[in-house]
């Protein structure tokens, strides 16, 4: 065997022993797919259990498989939820929409204005202000609940909608997101051109900046809405009368009646919990077009 033939044979052996990149890629895709399926199943498992539980009566809840249906009593459960205690569930739903909707909308506007000011204006102490903003959103809201309660009790705001709306207007994390998004999307040249054309600062903010920050504003609003909608400790502390309760506090009160008075309202609690996640799902779908618009705008840039 000549030297050339030996080299050719050695190259063939190395080529056979070399792993196939396509096979490696297919293996990585399968691993990723399995991971995504497991993560999706883990995320959807509580929702599936809640949907199944909302379709059962009291007997089915305790005597049937928790992951499968046992009769269809969903409409009866819904009717009972909306009529129990003269329809107090609808009042709690309206309160949650008031606190989460109005509070998040006002908080989003304040956060966008504050983030825009920190990102595009020079003033003494700007770095210190931003450091305070970053440090403040690291403090859990539970630590601020008692001071808020003491402050609101002195000025007579306890057990009023303002006790929920005022804390929703100030969100340091939303300010941080607005600042970062402003720095990425609002160029100095555009602002200078608007000032040269004679536009005032308020007109620049409302006519130009807000339009360009639609995607960031939608993200800030959605995060604030979900956070306020799911709030528990703050409304539990500052709201006393059941007419001002949120959905979470109302459902928590229903679940506690089994221990207090022996009335089992587990079916109502589960059906109400299922209804409480519908607005957030609708909000996610409604905000999707703003994110798609923002991604398309970034691609065009």
């Amino acid at each position: 065997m000549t030297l050339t033939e030996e080299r050719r044979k050695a190259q063939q052996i190395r080529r056979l022993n070399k792993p196939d990149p396509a096979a490696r890629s297919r293996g990585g895709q399968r691993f990723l797919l399995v991971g995504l399926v497991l993560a999706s199943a883990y995320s959807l498992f509580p929702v599936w259990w809640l949907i199944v539980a909302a379709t059962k009566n009291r007997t089915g809840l305790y005597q049937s498989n928790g992951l499968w249906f046992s009769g269809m009593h969903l409409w009866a459960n819904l009717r009972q939820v909306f009529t129990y205690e003269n329809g107090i569930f609808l009042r709690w739903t309206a309160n949650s929409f008031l606190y989460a909707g109005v509070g998040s909308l006002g908080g989003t506007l304040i956060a966008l204005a504050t983030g825009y000011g920190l990102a595009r204006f020079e003033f003494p102490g700007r770095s210190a202000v931003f450091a305070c903003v970053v440090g403040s959103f690291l403090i859990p809201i539970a630590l601020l609940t008692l001071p808020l309660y003491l402050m609101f009790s002195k000025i007579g705001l306890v057990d009023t909608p303002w006790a929920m709306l005022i804390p929703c207007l100030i969100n340091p994390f939303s300010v941080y997101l607005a600042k970062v998004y402003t720095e990425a999307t609002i160029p100095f040249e555009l602002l200078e051109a608007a000032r040269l054309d004679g536009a005032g600062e308020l007109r620049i903010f409302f006519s130009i900046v807000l339009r360009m920050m639609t995607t960031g504003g939608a993200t800030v609003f959605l995060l604030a809405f979900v956070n306020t909608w799911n709030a528990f400790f703050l409304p539990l502390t500052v709201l006393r009368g059941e007419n001002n309760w949120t959905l979470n506090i109302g459902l928590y009160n229903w679940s506690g009646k089994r221990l207090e008075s022996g009335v089992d309202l587990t079916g109502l609690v589960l059906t109400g919990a299922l209804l409480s996640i519908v607005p957030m799902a609708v909000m996610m779908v409604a905000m999707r077009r703003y994110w798609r618009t923002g991604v398309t705008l970034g691609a065009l840039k």
Side-chain angles (χ1 to χ4, degrees):
M1 182 180 296
T2 63
L3 182 60
T4 303
E5 293 177 349
E6 291 180 354
R7 289 179 178 176
R8 188 181 299 112
K9 186 175 181 180
Q11 291 177 357
Q12 291 177 353
I13 294 175
R14 285 195 299 267
R15 192 180 299 112
L16 292 175
N17 294 332
K18 186 178 180 181
D20 187 8
R24 184 186 303 174
S25 177
R26 288 192 296 270
Q29 290 177 358
R30 293 192 188 97
F31 180 78
L32 180 61
L33 181 60
V34 171
L36 290 176
V37 170
L38 292 177
S40 300
Y42 177 79
S43 302
L44 295 177
F45 177 80
V47 180
W48 172 254
W49 178 86
L50 186 60
I51 293 174
V52 172
T55 63
K56 299 180 179 180
N57 56 11
R58 186 181 304 175
T59 303
L61 283 174
Y62 295 109
Q63 298 182 4
S64 63
N65 186 358
L67 298 180
W68 197 247
F69 301 94
S70 176
M72 182 54 64
H73 304 276
L74 178 61
W75 300 116
N77 293 338
L78 291 175
R79 190 182 308 111
Q80 190 176 5
V81 166
F82 290 133
T83 57
Y84 187 77
E85 293 185 347
N86 298 320
I88 191 65
F89 182 85
L90 296 176
R91 179 62 181 267
W92 296 339
T93 304
N95 292 338
S96 295
F97 272 111
L98 173 65
Y99 304 147
V102 177
S104 300
L105 186 62
T108 299
L109 183 60
I110 293 175
L112 293 180
T114 307
Y116 167 67
L118 289 174
R120 289 295 177 256
F121 287 92
E122 294 287 345
F123 56 89
R126 187 179 72 164
S127 299
V129 172
F130 182 66
C132 291
V133 169
V134 174
S136 60
F137 74 69
L138 298 177
I139 302 176
I141 187 62
L143 296 181
L144 302 177
T145 301
L146 182 58
L148 286 174
Y149 173 78
L150 296 176
M151 181 178 65
F152 289 154
S153 63
K154 289 184 178 180
I155 58 180
L157 294 182
V158 172
D159 200 27
T160 65
W162 292 108
M164 283 293 297
L165 291 175
I166 292 177
C168 294
L169 296 177
I170 308 300
N171 192 331
F173 185 67
S174 298
V175 174
Y176 173 77
L177 290 180
K179 179 182 181 298
V180 172
Y181 193 81
T182 300
E183 292 174 342
T185 58
I186 309 297
F188 283 104
E189 295 79 9
L190 179 63
L191 301 178
E192 291 298 329
R195 295 187 181 106
L196 291 176
D197 289 339
E201 296 299 335
L202 288 178
R203 184 177 180 182
I204 292 175
F205 176 72
F206 286 102
S207 300
I208 299 176
V209 175
L210 284 183
R211 293 178 181 271
M212 298 184 64
M213 295 180 66
T214 303
T215 302
T219 303
V220 170
F221 175 80
L222 182 61
L223 292 177
F225 185 91
V226 173
N227 185 52
T228 306
W229 187 272
N230 293 329
F232 180 78
F233 196 46
L234 178 62
L236 180 66
T237 305
V238 300
L239 300 177
R240 297 176 180 175
E242 64 177 10
N243 288 331
N244 293 323
W245 285 350
T246 62
L247 275 176
N248 288 339
I249 303 302
L251 295 177
Y252 172 74
N253 179 67
W254 280 358
S255 65
K257 285 189 175 182
R258 182 177 181 181
L259 300 177
E260 297 176 0
S261 58
V263 179
D264 189 0
L265 299 179
T266 305
L268 294 184
V269 173
L270 294 175
T271 306
L274 178 62
L275 293 175
S276 68
I277 67 176
V278 173
M280 289 186 288
V282 173
M283 192 67 63
M284 288 288 294
V285 175
M287 291 295 176
R288 184 177 56 182
R289 67 186 185 93
Y290 292 103
W291 291 321
R292 186 187 301 114
T293 302
V295 171
T296 306
L297 181 62
L300 292 177
K301 288 182 179 180

